[in-house]
Amino acid sequence: MQTSDAALSLTENEAGPVLQMTLGQTERWPGVTFTLDHGADVSTHGELVFQIKNTGESSAKIHCRIDSQPAGSEASETLTRTHPISLKPGVMREVRIPLVPYVHYEGISPEDFFGMRGIPFFSNESMHLENITQLIFFVIQDNTPHSFELGPIRLAGEPAPPSTTAVPEQVFPFIDQFGQFKHKDWPGKTHSLEAMIQAGVDEAAQLAEAAPPSSWNRYGGWKDGPQLEATGWFRTAKHDGKWTLVDPEGRLFFSVGIDGVAFKLGTIVDERQHWFDHLPEDNAENSELYFSWTPNLKRSHFYNKSVRAFSFHKFNAMRKYGDDWENRFAEMCTQRLPAWGVNTLGNWSSPDIYLRGKLPYVAYVRPDSKPLAGSSGHWGKFKDVLDPSFEASIRRKLSEPRLVETIEDPMCIGYFVDNELTFGDETAMAVAALQSPVDQSAKWVFLSDLKQKYGTIDALNTAWQTNYASWAAMLEATHAPEGDGAHADLVAFNTKFVRTYFSTIHRVLEEVAPNHMYLGCRYGSNAQITPVVLEANAEFADVVSFNVYSRHLADKLAGLERTGDKPYIIGEFHFGALDRGMFDTGLVKVADQDERADAYYQYVMDCVNHPNIVGCHWFQFCDSPTTGRLWDHENYQIGFTDTCDTPYAELIEASRRAGEDLYE
């Protein structure tokens, strides 16, 4: 048994002997690892069962990770399966994890399907049940103390029946001319070009007869609801004790949106040409469909290779809509969303669509200034917010042609700046500055602050318990100080850095686009967010944004509500299933399209009923490519439409119902 920032004790509760785990706040993944030196054969049973109780004072998500290897294999062949468990304070749950055997098929293996998150024929939950090597329980650090009671852990149930997945005699190619899995059929699958074109004609006729929900005004606000001051722009207000958006006409507005209403990037074809039934030639005539890409994800099979990629989504739209296909697709989207009960074009939607003046929208600003070299994060290094290039890049972005058009557009709700940033702990940016090279502005500012406080390097060395030879030597050094002596100064500079980030964006937006809201930085679902970060965000942004992936909103509310009494917007959520030819459900799995629709409706209504949430945006408009998107290989069933631009009927019906029920 090994621990990571965890204190353990053995005790008993009503279930019998249990392990009391108290998890700290210094490591990224505090928890406990049970290592089975000689492996364990669990193939005689169908489930791993245990009870776990949240003995802490806040809601928490604990993860159970199971590692397995083929008997006698190398560690590189480890299959890792992780199961998240959400628990409210004081709640005990019996968790039952299915033990799914890894199935060997003659002639193919998982390695044949590289560059995808989910793969055909092989279950994402399968394990080498004859050799379980580790069991790990951990939380993702959120700067909140957590404690749990775990146990007993046991095996139960009968082994799973043998796999009935049919593997065709000829597996490759396994993707048809439309980008769909060819070895399976399902409701809504496109079987011919003629059928795809006719579907577009039929839908256009239906949309011509459709109208937005009757309770909406032209913005999607509450037409007959309370009348507040009409400023001609979107804003926030607190009405009857509840935060709300207010549309330009002064009506209450809840933002129900869809992200990525656009032609999405394609999938890599290099080294995988034998996967596809038919690809058009990669030539000048098809230059809109092909492009080059160099993946920078280190775990990618294609890391740092220049590869060619192809967009089935765009190819299908070209064939479906014919002449003037881009304009016809854009117009279809502006008709679809109101008919589906959706009133907002969410993040990463195309300016060609949102600048048509048909729907409210959010715009996205991504600074591209000098990075803080010593930092790291989920999507890359943090920007050096103390370098002049940071403010300059925000101003430059807002002056670009498509963004400058948003500044005087009353349909623009506001701007998200950045996405799923990783701020780290209360000293992370200060440590990153010290670990950066000499030419880092943040490092110069930090040392300037220290010189002003301590005067001499000897005084700093005494306080920090360090031995820098001079200020110049400290500037040259690229290591963080050890011990606790520097802690207070690291916290102080980290706070300055964080506040500079939010205050700079606020000031620039206030100067350049004063009529639009600053919507925050879209915290990731499992982001480490310190109180200093939340306080600065709440002070300088009009709305605090979170991407919240969970089956039930209630499981994540504790993290949101730490922000205090501010309006929040959910920038991303989704649910996915494996009943329509895709290989991965996305971040929140449901059983089928019916449950997907039910989950959507409930999530939106829970957001509407929360006193601080003013909007929620689904990620994303179209499914990921079946064979994985370019940069991180996601191939999730998360669209309102599939890769053939066919809407998912069950989700559309639930979305329409939610739109009609919003204001009631």
Side-chain angles (χ1 to χ4, degrees), residues 447 450-474 485 489:
L447 264 66
L450 294 172
K451 287 178 184 178
Q452 187 172 355
K453 177 178 180 179
Y454 290 104
T456 68
I457 195 68
D458 290 338
L460 178 131
N461 282 331
T462 300
W464 281 27
Q465 300 164 5
T466 51
N467 56 358
Y468 297 112
S470 63
W471 291 112
M474 186 177 183
D489 291 321

Side-chain angles (χ1 to χ4, degrees), residues 122-136:
F122 298 91
S123 169
N124 287 346
E125 297 180 344
S126 65
M127 293 174 272
H128 298 293
L129 300 184
E130 73 283 2
N131 190 31
I132 301 297
T133 58
Q134 286 192 140
L135 197 61
I136 305 172

Side-chain angles (χ1 to χ4, degrees), residues 105-109 112-113 120-122 166-176 181-183 274-277 583:
Y105 296 111
E106 195 65 40
I108 61 168
S109 73
D112 293 323
F113 302 100
F121 309 119
F122 298 91
V167 177
E169 188 174 330
Q170 184 177 334
V171 170
F172 300 98
F174 66 93
I175 299 296
D176 70 14
F181 184 44
K182 66 178 288 185
H183 298 313
H274 62 292
W275 290 13
F276 305 101
D277 243 349
F583 308 141

Side-chain angles (χ1 to χ4, degrees), residues 32-50:
V32 59
T33 299
F34 301 95
T35 301
L36 304 163
D37 290 338
H38 304 291
D41 184 350
V42 301
S43 61
T44 53
H45 293 80
E47 294 177 313
L48 181 75
V49 182
F50 56 86

Side-chain angles (χ1 to χ4, degrees), residues 204-493:
Q206 293 165 7
L207 290 172
E209 301 295 321
S214 59
S215 60
W216 290 13
N217 65 9
R218 67 191 182 105
Y219 294 101
W222 190 4
K223 181 173 62 179
D224 298 319
Q227 178 67 61
L228 278 60
E229 180 187 359
T231 64
W233 308 96
F234 281 95
R235 61 185 179 90
T236 61
K238 204 166 190 183
H239 178 73
D240 287 346
K242 190 178 190 299
W243 280 105
T244 181
L245 297 177
V246 181
D247 74 18
E249 294 179 347
R251 299 295 185 177
L252 307 190
F253 177 91
F254 187 88
S255 178
V256 183
I258 301 178
D259 292 328
V261 184
F263 292 116
K264 303 312 291 177
L265 290 177
T267 191
I268 294 169
V269 296
D270 279 3
E271 302 182 41
R272 311 198 298 184
Q273 288 88 345
H274 62 292
W275 290 13
F276 305 101
D277 243 349
H278 169 73
L279 290 172
E281 281 192 58
D282 186 357
N283 56 23
E285 184 180 344
N286 294 313
S287 60
E288 287 191 89
L289 301 174
Y290 284 94
F291 41 92
S292 295
W293 186 266
T294 303
N296 60 6
L297 188 71
K298 289 189 176 180
R299 64 178 181 269
S300 169
H301 173 85
F302 304 99
Y303 176 62
N304 263 353
K305 299 178 185 176
S306 179
V307 293
R308 293 293 280 171
F310 176 81
S311 173
F312 277 106
H313 187 212
K314 186 178 284 190
F315 186 39
N316 290 333
M318 290 173 67
R319 294 184 289 175
K320 181 175 182 176
Y321 295 110
D323 293 341
D324 198 25
W325 59 275
E326 289 180 284
N327 180 58
R328 290 185 60 195
F329 172 80
E331 282 299 307
M332 180 75 91
C333 290
T334 62
Q335 295 173 51
R336 279 171 161 173
L337 267 61
W340 295 350
V342 174
N343 62 15
T344 305
L345 288 157
N347 215 36
W348 299 299
S349 294
S350 168
D352 292 331
I353 298 174
Y354 68 60
L355 290 174
R356 290 172 179 251
K358 303 289 183 67
L359 282 164
Y361 63 89
V362 296
Y364 179 56
V365 179
R366 184 172 184 265
D368 58 2
S369 56
K370 183 175 180 176
L372 183 61
S375 67
S376 61
H378 180 66
W379 292 114
K381 295 184 184 299
F382 214 98
K383 304 304 178 193
D384 186 347
V385 302
L386 294 163
D387 191 276
S389 66
F390 178 68
E391 178 174 335
S393 74
I394 301 170
R395 293 183 182 276
R396 185 176 66 253
K397 290 287 184 180
L398 289 167
S399 69
E400 290 176 354
R402 305 323 299 267
L403 270 178
V404 79
E405 292 180 61
T406 67
I407 292 172
E408 298 301 327
D409 186 355
M411 285 291 184
C412 180
I413 296 171
Y415 304 98
F416 290 115
V417 182
D418 282 316
N419 180 59
E420 296 187 337
L421 291 182
T422 304
F423 287 88
D425 64 21
E426 63 181 359
T427 65
M429 295 302 154
V431 170
L434 293 177
Q435 292 175 333
S436 296
V438 171
D439 66 346
Q440 195 80 58
S441 295
K443 192 169 192 175
W444 280 87
V445 173
F446 193 8
L447 264 66
S448 176
D449 291 349
L450 294 172
K451 287 178 184 178
Q452 187 172 355
K453 177 178 180 179
Y454 290 104
T456 68
I457 195 68
D458 290 338
L460 178 131
N461 282 331
T462 300
W464 281 27
Q465 300 164 5
T466 51
N467 56 358
Y468 297 112
S470 63
W471 291 112
M474 186 177 183
L475 189 63
E476 292 280 352
T478 55
H479 60 271
E482 297 179 359
D484 298 329
H487 185 76
D489 291 321
L490 294 174
V491 170
F493 182 75

